[in-house]
Amino acid sequence: MYLASTQKLYEKIAKGEIGGFTVPAFNIRTLTFDVARALFRAAKKEKAGAFIIELAQSEMDYTDQSPEEYVRNVTEAALKEKFKGPLFFQGDHFKANSKNLEKLIIEAIKAGFFNIDIDGSVFDQLEENAKITAKFSRIIRNLQPKSMEISIGGEVSKIGGENTTLGEFKKFMEIYQRELSKYGNIKGIIKIAVQTGTSHGGIVLPSGKLKQIEADFKTLRELSNEAKKYGLAGAVQHGASTLPENYFERFPKTGACEIHLATLFQNMIYDSDYFPKDLREKIYSWLKEKFWQKKKPSDSEKQFIYKFRKRALGHFKKEILSIPQKNIDKICEELEEKFRFFFKSLNVSNTSNLIKNIY
């Protein structure tokens, strides 16, 4: 077991040497050690090797997990489950307008995050996005270990906003490549995040149930095909975990190289019958006390709780980790089955030998 970059894997996908699957990137927001154990158990049962363990910049804050702590917990879980092969840790949504982004990149790389997604969509102007993405691509290349070529991702459009058009993608790549060339002959991004109708966390209705979203598979396929013309592995799908289950087998057919999965696992933990009811009520009371003033007037209480409960994970970290182990084990049994579902649906079951041959 060792830490690695998806760069080699994605270069092979970009060249058309391998394909037919979409790499899942799993965000573990709480109970990290135990949830990661469930993930590795599922991976071993499905013989899956092509998957990423990631944490977004914002998640590091509200879950109270530093890159170092996250890597330590997950690698210890991998050792506990006797998982063999490379581990791909990824920094997700590293926002290009952050004051201390370079410091965060240094911290993440030092911890073992050898895959970093730059989020330049925080800027409204496509040109500014492309320029800043090129700038941080150079910074990452200067900071990466000599023996490790970090996999870098870019982001054309805000997730949850208007769908990315082919014209926007082409314009972004044109400006990005032009700006990157100013820094010399360095490798740029290997994948690109696009907006195709989804949103982070899904859209919750006043009843507390999730609204069924129509993902734009046609646009995703079109953008993935175009991405390969620029030497990229394909497009990246965000905000997907809460989509209907029958959607996931369609992603590999679009040529999407990667898909990000986060909120569903948090939901499964909070909503599990094995999550202590008194702790859940305590968390929800704290949320109403702390964040009620930020509630939209049009939102019901259930919508408010759904949107804000992720913010309690860091504050109640100690209490959540103190849940009886027998309850945690039952929660993780449910998660393990869900992980197996994603491995199967995204065609990454039986990829362990493929990954070992590449690495």
Side-chain angles (χ1 to χ4, degrees):
M1 188 194 71
Y2 50 96
L3 309 187
S5 160
T6 57
Q7 184 73 18
K8 291 180 182 178
L9 171 65
Y10 283 167
E11 284 180 354
K12 286 187 173 292
I13 293 174
K15 293 174 184 175
E17 295 176 9
I18 56 174
F21 57 87
T22 298
V23 177
F26 300 104
N27 301 57
I28 306 177
R29 293 176 176 172
T30 190
L31 296 173
T32 302
F33 174 73
D34 291 282
V35 174
R37 285 189 65 186
L39 175 61
F40 291 122
R41 287 197 299 270
K44 288 179 69 176
K45 288 175 182 176
E46 293 300 324
K47 298 179 181 178
F51 65 95
I52 294 166
I53 307 104
E54 69 175 0
L55 200 64
Q57 180 182 0
S58 59
E59 288 173 322
M60 292 174 188
D61 181 33
Y62 65 70
T63 68
D64 188 24
Q65 296 186 94
S66 67
E68 182 185 3
E69 178 189 332
Y70 192 68
V71 170
R72 185 177 67 248
N73 275 322
V74 174
T75 52
E76 285 179 359
L79 288 167
K80 185 74 173 178
E81 296 300 332
K82 296 180 171 59
F83 178 82
K84 295 180 180 180
L87 296 183
F88 304 107
F89 284 97
Q90 182 160 276
D92 183 25
H93 286 296
F94 275 29
K95 296 189 180 298
N97 62 346
S98 302
K99 291 181 180 179
N100 297 315
L101 183 55
E102 189 169 344
K103 182 181 177 182
L104 175 61
I105 290 170
I106 293 170
E107 182 185 358
I109 293 174
K110 185 178 179 181
F113 280 65
F114 298 140
N115 309 274
I116 295 176
D117 286 352
I118 304 163
D119 185 358
S121 71
V122 289
F123 297 104
D124 292 330
Q125 298 299 319
L126 198 64
E127 184 169 355
E128 191 172 6
N129 178 351
K131 285 182 177 179
I132 204 77
T133 302
K135 173 188 172 182
F136 278 103
S137 296
R138 177 184 63 88
I139 289 171
I140 290 169
R141 291 285 174 244
N142 288 341
L143 293 171
Q144 68 186 11
K146 291 181 179 178
S147 60
M148 180 68 64
E149 191 163 68
I150 286 177
S151 168
I152 304 174
E155 188 164 325
V156 180
S157 311
K158 287 182 181 178
I159 306 305
E162 295 294 322
N163 280 8
T164 307
T165 66
L166 192 60
E168 286 171 336
F169 172 73
K170 288 180 177 180
K171 183 180 178 182
F172 174 91
M173 288 305 301
E174 178 187 333
I175 300 168
Y176 174 76
Q177 290 182 332
R178 184 190 71 212
E179 293 299 313
L180 191 69
S181 66
K182 294 178 181 179
Y183 301 119
N185 186 27
I186 63 172
K187 281 192 177 180
I189 59 173
I190 192 63
K191 58 183 178 174
I192 189 75
V194 297
Q195 169 60 17
T196 58
T198 61
S199 62
H200 287 128
I203 298 172
V204 66
L205 299 170
S207 63
K209 294 184 180 296
L210 284 168
K211 179 181 179 181
Q212 184 161 328
I213 295 171
E214 289 297 324
D216 190 343
F217 290 101
K218 181 177 179 291
T219 296
L220 189 60
R221 183 182 298 107
E222 186 179 56
L223 294 172
S224 289
N225 289 339
E226 191 65 27
K228 287 179 170 60
K229 296 177 184 178
Y230 291 90
L232 307 186
V236 178
Q237 175 69 50
H238 282 259
S241 70
T242 54
L243 290 171
E245 286 193 346
N246 61 347
Y247 279 25
F248 290 95
E249 63 183 17
R250 298 171 65 181
F251 284 105
K253 298 171 186 175
T254 67
C257 64
E258 186 176 303
I259 186 168
H260 291 211
L261 307 164
T263 303
L264 174 65
F265 312 122
Q266 168 197 286
N267 291 351
M268 288 179 68
I269 292 169
Y270 264 132
D271 298 334
S272 173
D273 291 337
Y274 298 100
F275 193 95
K277 185 179 179 182
D278 57 343
L279 176 56
R280 185 165 49 229
E281 289 176 351
K282 183 180 178 182
I283 289 171
Y284 290 177
S285 294
W286 178 80
L287 287 171
K288 284 185 272 189
E289 180 184 327
K290 188 80 174 177
F291 298 106
W292 190 257
Q293 71 276 11
K294 295 185 178 182
K295 183 181 94 63
K296 290 183 179 180
S298 58
D299 280 354
S300 67
E301 183 176 318
K302 288 183 178 180
Q303 284 173 308
F304 162 77
I305 292 294
Y306 182 88
K307 291 177 182 179
F308 281 85
R309 62 182 178 175
K310 65 183 181 182
R311 306 234 191 149
L313 295 173
H315 186 81
F316 288 90
K317 184 177 179 179
K318 184 177 179 180
E319 288 92 331
I320 293 172
L321 289 173
S322 299
I323 292 172
Q325 190 61 44
K326 62 181 181 179
N327 290 52
I328 293 174
D329 291 343
K330 286 293 185 181
I331 291 170
C332 289
E333 283 178 19
E334 297 169 345
L335 288 167
E336 183 181 333
E337 287 307 305
K338 187 59 68 174
F339 291 138
R340 292 189 72 180
F341 162 78
F342 284 122
F343 286 140
K344 291 173 184 175
S345 299
L346 298 169
N347 283 349
V348 292
S349 295
N350 301 310
T351 56
S352 57
N353 284 335
L354 170 70
I355 295 299
K356 287 174 185 177
N357 288 336
I358 296 173
Y359 292 89

